[in-house]
Coordinates of all heavy atoms in Angstrom, one line a residue:
E71 N 149.1 12.9 185.7 CA 150.3 12.0 185.5 C 151.1 11.8 186.8 O 151.6 10.8 187.1 CB 151.2 12.5 184.4 CG 150.6 12.4 183.0 CD 149.6 13.5 182.7 OE1 149.4 14.4 183.5 OE2 149.0 13.5 181.6
V72 N 151.1 12.9 187.6 CA 151.9 12.8 188.9 C 151.2 11.8 189.8 O 151.8 11.0 190.6 CB 152.0 14.1 189.6 CG1 152.7 14.0 190.9 CG2 152.7 15.1 188.7
F73 N 149.8 11.7 189.8 CA 149.1 10.8 190.6 C 149.1 9.4 190.1 O 148.9 8.4 190.8 CB 147.6 11.2 190.7 CG 147.4 12.5 191.4 CD1 147.7 13.7 190.8 CD2 146.9 12.5 192.7 CE1 147.5 14.9 191.5 CE2 146.7 13.7 193.4 CZ 147.0 14.9 192.9
D74 N 149.5 9.2 188.8 CA 149.6 7.9 188.2 C 150.9 7.2 188.5 O 151.0 6.0 188.3 CB 149.4 8.0 186.7 CG 148.0 8.4 186.3 OD1 147.0 8.2 187.1 OD2 147.8 9.0 185.2
H75 N 151.9 8.0 189.0 CA 153.2 7.4 189.2 C 153.1 6.5 190.4 O 152.5 6.8 191.4 CB 154.2 8.6 189.4 CG 155.6 8.1 189.5 ND1 156.2 7.7 190.6 CD2 156.6 8.1 188.5 CE1 157.5 7.4 190.3 NE2 157.7 7.6 189.0
R76 N 153.9 5.4 190.4 CA 153.8 4.4 191.5 C 154.3 4.9 192.8 O 153.9 4.4 193.9 CB 154.5 3.1 191.1 CG 156.0 3.3 190.9 CD 156.6 2.0 190.4 NE 158.0 2.1 190.2 CZ 158.9 1.9 191.1 NH1 158.5 1.5 192.3 NH2 160.2 2.0 190.9
I77 N 155.2 5.9 192.8 CA 155.8 6.4 194.0 C 155.0 7.7 194.5 O 154.6 7.8 195.6 CB 157.3 6.7 193.9 CG1 158.0 5.3 193.7 CG2 157.8 7.4 195.2 CD1 159.5 5.5 193.4
S78 N 155.0 8.7 193.5 CA 154.4 10.0 193.9 C 152.9 9.9 194.0 O 152.3 10.6 194.8 CB 154.8 11.0 192.9 OG 154.3 10.7 191.6
G79 N 152.2 9.0 193.3 CA 150.8 8.9 193.3 C 150.2 8.6 194.7 O 149.3 9.4 195.2
P80 N 150.6 7.6 195.4 CA 150.1 7.4 196.8 C 150.4 8.6 197.7 O 149.5 8.9 198.6 CB 150.8 6.1 197.2 CG 151.2 5.4 196.0 CD 151.5 6.5 195.0
L81 N 151.5 9.2 197.6 CA 151.8 10.4 198.4 C 150.9 11.5 198.1 O 150.3 12.2 199.0 CB 153.3 10.8 198.2 CG 154.3 9.8 198.8 CD1 155.7 10.3 198.4 CD2 154.2 9.7 200.3
M82 N 150.7 11.8 196.8 CA 149.8 12.9 196.4 C 148.4 12.7 196.9 O 147.7 13.6 197.4 CB 149.8 13.1 194.9 CG 151.2 13.5 194.4 SD 151.7 15.1 194.9 CE 150.7 16.1 193.8
R83 N 147.9 11.4 196.7 CA 146.5 11.1 197.2 C 146.5 11.2 198.7 O 145.5 11.7 199.3 CB 146.1 9.8 196.7 CG 145.8 9.8 195.2 CD 145.2 8.4 194.7 NE 146.2 7.4 194.8 CZ 147.0 7.0 193.8 NH1 147.0 7.7 192.7 NH2 147.9 6.0 193.9
G84 N 147.5 10.7 199.4 CA 147.5 10.7 200.8 C 147.5 12.1 201.4 O 147.0 12.3 202.5
M85 N 148.1 13.0 200.7 CA 148.1 14.4 201.2 C 146.9 15.2 200.8 O 146.8 16.4 201.1 CB 149.4 15.1 200.7 CG 150.7 14.6 201.4 SD 152.1 15.5 200.9 CE 152.5 14.8 199.3
G86 N 146.0 14.6 200.0 CA 144.7 15.2 199.7 C 144.9 16.2 198.5 O 144.0 17.1 198.4
H87 N 145.9 16.1 197.7 CA 146.0 17.0 196.6 C 145.0 16.6 195.5 O 144.4 15.6 195.5 CB 147.5 16.9 196.0 CG 148.5 17.4 197.0 ND1 148.3 18.5 197.8 CD2 149.7 16.8 197.3 CE1 149.4 18.6 198.5 NE2 150.2 17.6 198.3
I88 N 144.9 17.5 194.5 CA 143.8 17.4 193.5 C 144.3 17.1 192.1 O 145.0 17.9 191.6 CB 142.9 18.7 193.5 CG1 142.4 19.0 194.9 CG2 141.8 18.6 192.5 CD1 141.8 20.4 195.1
P89 N 144.0 15.9 191.6 CA 144.5 15.6 190.2 C 143.8 16.4 189.1 O 142.5 16.5 189.2 CB 144.3 14.1 190.1 CG 143.1 13.8 191.0 CD 143.2 14.8 192.1

Side-chain angles (χ1 to χ4, degrees):
E71 290 79 1
V72 179
F73 292 79
D74 294 336
H75 191 273
R76 63 185 181 87
I77 296 176
S78 62
L81 290 173
M82 295 293 282
R83 288 188 290 272
M85 288 185 283
H87 298 315
I88 303 170

